Amino acid sequence: MSASTSASTSTPAASSSASPSAGASPVTADDLVLHHYAGSPFAEKARLMLGFKGLAWHSVTVPMVMPKPDVAALTGGYRRTPFLQIGADIYCDTALIARVLEGRRPTPSLFPAAVAGQARLIAQWAGTDLFWTALPHAMQPAGAAAMFAGAPQEVLQAFVADRKAMTEGMPQPRGGDATAALTQYLEWLSAMLADGRPWLLGAEASIADLSVYHPLWFVAKAGPMAAILTPHEALRAWMARVAAIGHGERAGKLDSAAAIALAKASTPKPALVEEGLGFAHGDPVTVAPSDYARDAVAGALVGLSADTVTLARDDERAGRVHVHFPRIRYVLRKAG
């Protein structure tokens, strides 16, 4: 089931295209291509945003762990999952993907006017404090064993090693401390629903609901660690409503080579560097997350505002691409 939709406000279709895998519809430079994998919490948030908007999209499955050479060809080294591709434009971070989808189809809105500020603040908290409490709670030994049940031991070991490298030096609660904090957070969230409202901020669903849901979705998959949700009946009913939004229309699967070919056959959208922000068009710069997975992406600055930063990169396989980042929780530096 998906949320109600309205007429699309997408840009005119481009002429370039790439061949999808068997059984999928052709993909053009104006189509939405989500690079993700099934078990990624932030990818679940992105899939729900697509469902909320009632949008069709093509799916590319990316590896859970490094190395990710096909991801690097498109992003320049950004390793987080998911990212959104539209032709030769690559949008990193679900906060930015939400804005892109909002522009693509404004109704229903992820940011209802009456609660837009609250929704953004809760979404920011959910993607940071809540996520980095839910994850270590869920990934305690019993939860990890449930999530990786049936998989070879080396798969779990590789996942743990990869995530340890991603979060090196990042403070986060562990074990019992994570469980204690998550217990309080669940009580706070349950209190928001105590008056019988269907969504966290009232009568309308918003980005707050999708952002809070995805860490709890991960907890719910963690076998015995999911018991922490049991006392919260209203919260579990709310989770069922969010899940019922669905993932929109999967137009088909692409392999990563086809996605790279699509980028090379496409032309990035124009971008603008606004004045007075300390940088000029064409500056060699790097952009890196400020919290975890701090791999820097290098390129020429072609877009900058208070909200976003855009780098132009040339890749032997993907051609000229524009890689877009939000400004919040990302560090922009002049190269060298």
Side-chain angles (χ1 to χ4, degrees):
M1 185 176 87
S2 64
S4 60
T5 61
S6 63
S8 172
T9 57
S10 60
T11 55
S15 59
S16 56
S17 63
S19 299
S21 57
S25 57
V27 58
T28 75
D30 193 48
D31 288 341
L32 302 172
V33 180
L34 185 69
H35 296 249
H36 66 127
Y37 64 86
S40 163
F42 280 98
E44 179 65 8
K45 176 186 172 183
R47 293 186 291 259
L48 286 167
M49 290 193 293
L50 290 159
F52 182 83
K53 291 292 186 181
L55 289 165
W57 53 284
H58 297 263
S59 172
V60 176
T61 299
V62 301
M64 284 198 304
V65 299
M66 297 293 278
K68 302 182 181 183
D70 290 349
V71 169
L74 292 168
T75 68
Y78 177 84
R79 60 176 292 183
R80 295 184 182 182
T81 303
F83 62 91
L84 181 71
Q85 176 184 0
I86 306 177
D89 286 274
I90 309 299
Y91 298 93
C92 301
D93 198 291
T94 55
L96 179 55
I97 293 171
R99 296 207 297 269
V100 171
L101 298 183
E102 186 78 359
R104 184 88 163 197
R105 181 166 288 173
T107 305
S109 178
L110 289 164
F111 311 98
V115 296
Q118 298 173 65
R120 286 185 168 95
L121 287 169
I122 290 175
Q124 183 73 14
W125 167 78
T128 52
D129 285 0
L130 178 61
F131 179 81
W132 288 110
T133 301
L135 187 74
H137 166 79
M139 288 301 291
Q140 292 180 75
M147 288 192 185
F148 287 86
Q153 183 65 23
E154 55 266 27
V155 172
L156 174 58
Q157 292 172 345
F159 180 85
V160 171
D162 183 82
R163 294 313 190 262
K164 182 178 180 180
M166 284 178 67
T167 58
E168 184 176 3
M170 176 186 175
Q172 54 180 303
R174 300 187 184 278
D177 293 329
T179 299
L182 183 58
T183 298
Q184 293 187 62
Y185 289 160
L186 294 177
E187 290 174 357
W188 298 353
L189 292 167
S190 293
M192 295 177 71
L193 298 165
D195 61 1
R197 64 182 63 186
W199 306 105
L200 289 176
L201 296 179
E204 294 182 274
S206 71
I207 191 63
D209 296 282
L210 309 188
S211 300
V212 169
Y213 173 83
H214 80 268
L216 305 188
W217 170 85
F218 191 74
V219 170
K221 294 163 63 71
M225 307 311 296
I228 197 170
L229 298 168
T230 301
H232 301 283
E233 183 177 353
L235 191 62
R236 288 187 285 109
W238 164 84
M239 290 180 67
R241 287 192 291 275
V242 177
I245 290 170
H247 294 163
E249 178 191 345
R250 295 204 189 199
K253 292 184 178 180
L254 288 177
D255 61 30
S256 56
I260 291 170
L262 172 64
K264 190 162 189 176
S266 306
T267 301
K269 296 177 177 64
L272 173 69
V273 176
E274 296 180 4
E275 296 182 358
L277 297 177
F279 294 84
H281 187 279
D283 279 349
V285 296
T286 63
V287 175
S290 62
D291 44 8
Y292 72 100
R294 297 186 292 269
D295 306 74
V297 178
L301 185 70
V302 294
L304 183 63
S305 69
D307 298 326
T308 60
V309 56
T310 301
L311 306 188
R313 297 186 54 259
D314 292 296
D315 182 84
E316 182 178 356
R317 299 166 62 203
R320 169 59 63 102
V321 296
H322 283 180
V323 188
H324 308 263
F325 303 90
R327 287 295 279 124
I328 292 177
R329 301 190 75 83
Y330 285 79
V331 179
L332 172 64
R333 295 283 184 266
K334 291 182 178 179

